[in-house]
Amino acid sequence: MRTHQIPLQNRTIPPSIVAAVEHRVQQLCWRYAKQLPFHGWHHVSFVRAKALGFAGHNGADSTVVEVAALVHDVNYLVLRNSPAAAGRKLRLGILAECGVPDDVARWIDEIVDEAEMATRGRDISLEAQALSDADTLFKALPVTPVVLAHRYLRENGLSLRELAHKIVGEQCDVHDEGYYFYNPEAAATYSRWAMANLQLWQCIKEAVDDPTVAELLDAVHAVDTAAAAS
């Protein structure tokens, strides 16, 4: 597990700075709401609330986790369908503008990278675990495929096939290896949702690779395109 060399007594971000980061990120989310139909303020606020709860359970620095949650997805303002690292310059700029010390800002940026689903490992920091569990829960919510998946497709310019392959490719091995959730209570509470979600996307992946289903989807897309043009 990674450790960080910031002394314990310096690991608290004052409430005024947390509030400043919240205000700045919320401004960006509302200003670019059309660009962020999936990763907008609704997503950020959910992840923030859940990450704080997980931080309280695992002993992580709650203020650092809270700020990391607020800035974890700013990469989508920089580049569609991008890794967290693509937002580093913007992320560090927001944190500096709001008064987060440079060493803490770099730590937060490291946490965001560490928690990313596509690359995270079994032994990550407590702060990254709290952020990861909150972000993972958003993905595993039963309502996400129904209410939000089409928003992800639109935001990132992906096809349904590409999204299904992405989800199965990034998440199934992590689930099978036993660290889909790091927090034991989260695992006990939400693993059934996660399993159902991954099984659904595995079925979608199989379906969209079927030529007849692909023809069906093409026909639906053609109808939607014609309706939008009329």
Side-chain angles (χ1 to χ4, degrees):
M1 183 179 296
R2 293 190 197 184
T3 59
H4 202 278
Q5 298 306 310
I6 298 175
L8 182 61
Q9 64 269 25
N10 294 334
R11 287 187 176 179
T12 299
I13 300 172
S16 60
I17 292 181
V18 176
V21 176
E22 175 188 7
H23 179 69
R24 184 71 181 108
V25 173
Q26 190 173 33
Q27 278 186 322
L28 288 170
C29 285
W30 286 118
R31 182 181 304 165
Y32 299 102
K34 289 184 179 180
Q35 188 178 326
L36 300 172
F38 186 90
H39 289 107
W41 184 247
H42 56 282
H43 171 75
V44 174
S45 58
F46 177 92
V47 172
R48 173 201 196 180
K50 287 297 184 180
L52 274 170
F54 292 134
H57 282 119
N58 73 7
D61 185 312
S62 61
T63 57
V64 168
V65 170
E66 183 175 12
V67 173
L70 287 168
V71 298
H72 79 286
D73 274 340
V74 298
N75 53 291
Y76 292 103
L77 287 167
V78 177
L79 182 66
R80 299 173 86 188
N81 194 31
S82 62
R88 177 167 293 120
K89 183 176 180 180
L90 175 58
R91 184 178 301 115
L92 293 176
I94 292 169
L95 297 177
E97 174 188 331
C98 295
V100 178
D102 289 346
D103 53 354
V104 180
R106 288 193 299 271
W107 182 24
I108 289 168
D109 187 61
E110 180 182 279
I111 289 165
V112 172
D113 281 346
E114 200 179 3
E116 190 161 34
M117 173 64 78
T119 55
R120 66 183 172 91
R122 184 182 299 274
D123 298 314
I124 62 176
S125 67
L126 294 177
E127 287 76 19
Q129 288 180 26
L131 175 58
S132 176
D133 280 350
D135 203 25
T136 298
L137 176 57
F138 189 87
K139 296 176 175 70
L141 291 173
V143 299
T144 296
V146 179
V147 178
L148 295 168
H150 69 288
R151 294 185 172 205
Y152 190 96
L153 297 176
R154 186 167 78 251
E155 178 181 306
N156 291 287
L158 296 178
S159 67
L160 184 60
R161 175 181 288 105
E162 289 169 328
L163 179 57
H165 280 261
K166 174 181 173 66
I167 290 172
V168 171
E170 291 181 359
Q171 299 184 32
C172 284
D173 285 348
V174 172
H175 181 274
D176 293 345
E177 290 172 15
Y179 57 97
Y180 195 76
F181 292 109
Y182 296 94
N183 182 287
E185 290 185 20
T189 304
Y190 303 119
S191 285
R192 184 168 65 91
W193 291 359
M195 175 64 76
N197 184 65
L198 291 176
Q199 287 177 341
L200 171 64
W201 282 105
Q202 180 65 54
C203 290
I204 293 171
K205 177 178 176 291
E206 294 167 3
V208 296
D209 286 337
D210 182 290
T212 307
V213 176
E215 290 178 9
L216 168 66
L217 295 175
D218 288 342
V220 171
H221 178 67
V223 170
D224 289 344
T225 302
S230 62

